[in-house]
Amino acid sequence: MTSIWEVPVLENKIAVVYGAGGAVGGAVARAFARSGAKVYLVGRSEGGLATVADEIAAQGGWCRTERLDAADAAAVGRHLDTVVAEQGRVDACFNAVTYGDVQGSPLVAMPFDEFSRPIVTALRVQHAVFQAAARHMAPAGAGAVMTVTGYGPPHPEMGGTMVTWATVESVCRQWASELGPQGVRVVWLRTAGFVESLLDAPDYGSSYAGDTSGEELLSALQGETMLKRLPTLTEAGELAVFLASDHARSVTATAVNVTAGAVAD
């Protein structure tokens, strides 16, 4: 199927993707580049960044890579200063950094540090990215800061995962309220897992009982959705392109439901 985003809706846009070497970050970065943006790939894994950069280059896209920890606010700020010095502005920042959550253990047996680690990491990363982006986007009166979360009611043995998602969404709403009057939008993808992520990483379902394979978990989760399927990473990238584009200029302070109907909101 031909992507509608083969039209360069992000032409001349400058985008930064944090966690670009990962599954979601890589998909978003590739989609941004296909849509005409100049994309800066940021992450901790040099190998992952190089792989995505090679794929973008092979498709004729423009990108640069930077290895850094997005929890390091000073490093994030310096890098974004460099981007703006080179390009004159930044139009979109997408945060796809993982937070190191641990699943598969009941809370009664989980040390506090293990439970709280993803929450604290998420707060550090989000604050670093939002502050750096806001310093450049707010004076320009435009820009979009984006991220990705998950969904779900409380589920046993999920550790701090769902608490982290709820925390990130609350942070996003707060920043949206402060940045909106200055023309900066805050939006995020709310997911229920992607086909490729489940098949490539069977331990995604570590909070589920039994030795469940990736295929079995995928089938089970698809059966719980309204559409009886899960989205692909390519679809996530295309939605991110829309949210970063001028077509979504009135969309802020909200999640885009990309759960295939696993949740109705």
Side-chain angles (χ1 to χ4, degrees), residues 17 43 69 78 105 110 176 180 186 213:
V17 179
D69 185 350
R78 286 193 300 269
S105 175
M110 182 174 287
V186 179
S213 70

Side-chain angles (χ1 to χ4, degrees), residues 34-228:
R34 283 196 305 270
S35 299
K38 291 183 177 181
V39 187
Y40 286 81
L41 313 176
V42 179
R44 292 180 296 177
S45 170
E46 187 172 343
L49 294 177
T51 297
V52 176
D54 289 345
E55 292 170 349
I56 289 174
Q59 296 176 355
W62 189 103
C63 69
R64 294 286 186 273
T65 63
E66 180 72 20
R67 188 167 176 245
L68 63 80
D69 185 350
D72 184 340
V76 171
R78 286 193 300 269
H79 175 255
L80 205 56
D81 288 346
T82 299
V83 171
V84 174
E86 291 177 352
Q87 303 295 340
R89 68 184 192 283
V90 58
D91 300 295
C93 290
F94 192 102
N95 182 3
V97 173
T98 57
Y99 306 126
D101 52 314
V102 176
Q103 301 177 18
S105 175
L107 291 178
V108 70
M110 182 174 287
F112 176 75
D113 287 348
E114 196 170 275
F115 168 77
S116 63
R117 180 173 60 240
I119 304 167
V120 174
T121 301
L123 287 171
R124 288 187 182 279
V125 171
Q126 294 293 340
H127 198 71
V129 171
F130 270 114
Q131 275 199 333
R135 290 188 182 114
H136 294 287
M137 292 179 178
V145 186
M146 301 182 288
T147 191
V148 57
T149 66
Y151 91 99
H155 188 283
E157 301 190 2
M158 287 292 285
T161 300
M162 291 182 176
V163 179
T164 301
W165 290 338
T167 300
V168 169
E169 294 200 359
S170 181
V171 167
C172 287
R173 293 185 185 97
Q174 181 62 35
W175 275 99
S177 72
E178 297 196 11
L179 295 179
Q182 299 169 81
V184 180
R185 300 183 295 111
V186 179
V187 288
W188 59 100
L189 303 179
R190 184 183 294 148
T191 77
F194 299 101
V195 172
E196 301 92 334
S197 300
L198 290 168
L199 294 179
D200 294 343
D203 64 346
Y204 179 93
S206 59
S207 61
Y208 291 79
D211 297 324
T212 306
S213 70
E215 290 82 1
E216 291 169 334
L217 181 57
L218 175 61
S219 177
L221 292 180
Q222 286 178 329
E224 295 174 359
T225 72
M226 296 178 188
L227 296 179
K228 304 305 176 186

